[in-house]
């Protein structure tokens, strides 16, 4: 086995979901650890390596990453199936949820400064590393009441929920909403955001997660393994669907005329929308510092809290990605990149 000089290479143990380490002399310029994919494919293509530390441009900040979230969409990005649509390219460093500390700022950065604790959603990833560069509109100040690990579980899921429920559905107090996958990374935050807006929430999850739905504030918890959600949810103003397929197909009939079906994974069927006299939207999330600031205020007021199932190390990136691919994670898995700062 031969290793190139001047590199520090971490090799994946294929299929075991662990990463082992082999080291040689590091390069002279600033380097950092990063989980890298040099080819598209299954989680096993990921390698933990030493790579050059990025340098922020004039309109960027360099963030020292403390923790980074793992998302259900990550394996899809890693597969390369939608590389053109997502704008991804190789080599790829995953990590679309970050929490960390601003280390350096470009000349055009005005809203955050060195030393600030921030959280956010870097558009093209990069969070599974010691450092990442971000645009000012991709991050906001971290909620004070959360640890960095907890904060890293928030951005993408909360932004998805916020942009769907607040911007698209314009959810009002008293309106009933059906949220599928209520125990997942998006669903668990969507329930809480909907409740904070004063909506009446019906949420679905498996038997094991019924207690969680109630803890999150769902007015009605539906065990989809035992009960058809359409027997419980009728004439709702909105449906949020992160599941798709049969779940989406059965959801049109439960929406009242003029209501809306929002899917995170598919384009709602135009014929079904027309048939039921309802609206449809395919939700695609985007980074937004103002939304993140409002979400942080909601968190610090005690109305929103992420569910972190597991905090793994960067060495466990493959295992984390394999778990994400199951689409059955309770809340979120987070990678702890380094120790939480003291004080």
């Amino acid at each position: 086995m031969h290793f190139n000089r001047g590199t520090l290479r971490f090799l994946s143990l294929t299929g075991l979901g662990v990463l082992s380490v082999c080291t040689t002399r590091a390069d002279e310029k600033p380097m950092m650890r990063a989980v890298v994919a040099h080819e598209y494919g299954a989680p096993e293509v990921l390698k933990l390596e030493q790579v050059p530390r990025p340098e922020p441009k004039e309109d960027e900040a360099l963030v020292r990453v403390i923790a980074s979230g793992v998302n259900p969409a990550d394996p899809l990005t890693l597969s390369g199936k939608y590389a053109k649509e997502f704008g991804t390219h190789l080599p790829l460093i995953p990590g679309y949820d970050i929490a960390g500390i601003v280390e350096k700022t470009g000349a055009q950065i005005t809203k955050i400064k060195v030393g600030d604790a921030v959280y956010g959603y870097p558009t093209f990833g990069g969070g599974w590393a010691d450092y990442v560069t971000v645009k000012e509109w991709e991050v906001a100040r971290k909620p004070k009441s959360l640890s960095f690990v907890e904060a890293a579980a928030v951005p993408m899921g909360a932004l998805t929920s916020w942009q769907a429920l607040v911007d698209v559905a314009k959810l009002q107090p008293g309106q009933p909403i059906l949220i599928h996958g209520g125990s997942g990374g998006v669903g668990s935050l969507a329930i809480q955001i909907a409740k904070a807006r004063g909506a009446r929430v019906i949420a679905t999850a498996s038997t094991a997660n019924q207690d969680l739905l109630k803890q999150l504030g769902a007015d009605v918890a539906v065990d989809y393994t035992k009960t058809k959600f359409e027997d419980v949810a009728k004439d709702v103003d909105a449906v949020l669907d992160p599941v798709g397929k049969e779940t989406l197909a059965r959801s049109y009939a439960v929406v009242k005329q003029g209501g809306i079906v929002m899917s995170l994974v598919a384009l709602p069927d135009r014929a079904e929308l027309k048939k039921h006299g309802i609206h449809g939207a395919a939700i695609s999330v985007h980074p937004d510092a103002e939304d993140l600031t409002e979400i942080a205020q909601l968190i610090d007021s005690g109305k929103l809290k992420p569910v972190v199932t597991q905090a793994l190390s960067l060495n466990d990136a493959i295992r984390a990605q394999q778990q994400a691919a199951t689409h059955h994670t309770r809340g979120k898995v987070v990678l702890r990149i380094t120790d939480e700062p003291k004080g």
Side-chain angles (χ1 to χ4, degrees):
M1 190 178 287
H2 175 70
F3 296 96
N4 294 330
R5 285 175 59 81
T7 64
L8 180 60
R9 177 81 52 182
F10 294 73
L11 303 178
S12 75
L13 297 181
T14 305
L16 296 182
V18 293
L19 295 156
S20 66
V21 53
C22 271
T23 65
T24 57
R25 187 174 61 82
D27 204 291
E28 286 178 11
K29 61 182 178 177
M31 303 291 280
M32 68 172 187
R33 297 173 307 150
V35 173
V36 186
H38 293 282
E39 59 184 309
Y40 292 119
E44 291 77 23
V45 301
L46 295 171
K47 305 281 189 289
L48 184 53
E49 302 177 348
Q50 284 278 340
V51 302
R53 192 177 78 192
E55 187 64 24
K57 296 173 184 167
E58 294 285 281
D59 63 342
E60 292 178 335
L62 180 70
V63 174
R64 179 165 63 89
V65 185
I66 308 298
S68 184
V70 182
N71 283 289
D74 290 349
L76 194 60
T77 306
L78 187 61
S79 75
K81 191 177 175 185
Y82 296 102
K84 196 173 177 184
E85 291 87 339
F86 293 171
T88 53
H89 53 83
L90 297 171
L92 169 70
I93 300 174
Y96 301 86
D97 279 323
I98 62 155
I101 296 169
V102 178
E103 190 95 351
K104 196 174 182 181
T105 57
Q108 294 171 21
I109 297 292
T110 58
K111 294 177 181 170
I112 53 174
K113 63 184 187 303
V114 171
D116 279 351
V118 295
Y119 81 136
Y121 164 22
T123 309
F124 297 107
W128 292 10
D130 287 320
Y131 294 89
V132 66
T133 51
V134 296
K135 306 288 189 185
E136 200 161 48
W137 43 268
E138 295 175 330
V139 296
R141 283 185 177 79
K142 178 183 82 67
K144 291 184 174 66
S145 58
L146 296 186
S147 67
F148 283 86
V149 165
E150 289 171 324
V154 174
M156 204 174 191
L159 283 170
T160 302
S161 303
W162 186 272
Q163 288 162 14
L165 304 183
V166 179
D167 299 342
V168 177
K170 303 191 183 334
L171 203 59
Q172 301 298 313
Q175 287 188 325
I177 180 171
L178 172 61
I179 297 172
H180 292 300
S183 62
V186 172
S188 60
L189 293 166
I191 290 170
Q192 297 174 79
I193 290 172
K195 286 304 294 178
R197 306 280 301 173
R200 180 174 178 268
V201 177
I202 305 162
T204 68
S206 64
T207 310
N209 290 312
Q210 293 300 295
D211 60 330
L212 178 61
L213 295 184
K214 288 167 184 150
Q215 288 165 24
L216 294 169
D219 296 285
V220 180
V222 179
D223 181 348
Y224 68 78
T225 69
K226 296 176 180 174
T227 306
K228 284 188 173 181
F229 65 79
E230 53 266 53
D231 290 342
V232 179
K234 298 176 191 297
D235 291 331
V236 301
D237 284 280
V239 171
L240 183 64
D241 167 46
V243 183
K245 297 179 182 172
E246 187 207 353
T247 301
L248 176 59
R250 289 162 49 206
S251 292
Y252 302 109
V254 307
V255 183
K256 68 172 64 165
Q257 204 157 6
I260 187 167
V261 170
M262 299 170 289
S263 177
L264 310 186
V265 293
L267 198 62
D269 187 316
R270 284 188 183 181
E272 286 291 329
L273 298 175
K274 189 174 180 183
K275 175 181 162 186
H276 294 283
I278 59 178
H279 305 286
I283 302 297
S284 57
V285 63
H286 59 270
D288 189 304
E290 288 182 15
D291 286 354
L292 285 167
T293 298
E294 288 197 65
I295 289 162
Q297 288 167 356
L298 208 56
I299 290 167
D300 285 337
S301 70
K303 292 179 180 173
L304 183 63
K305 189 168 176 64
V307 177
V308 178
T309 300
Q310 232 178 347
L312 301 172
S313 76
L314 208 51
N315 292 340
D316 292 314
I318 291 176
R319 185 150 65 93
Q321 196 78 295
Q322 288 169 336
Q323 175 58 37
T326 68
H327 294 280
H328 286 289
T329 305
R330 183 173 171 132
K332 288 287 279 285
V333 172
V334 174
L335 292 180
R336 186 185 278 113
I337 313 298
T338 190
D339 292 338
E340 299 262 341
K342 288 174 183 164

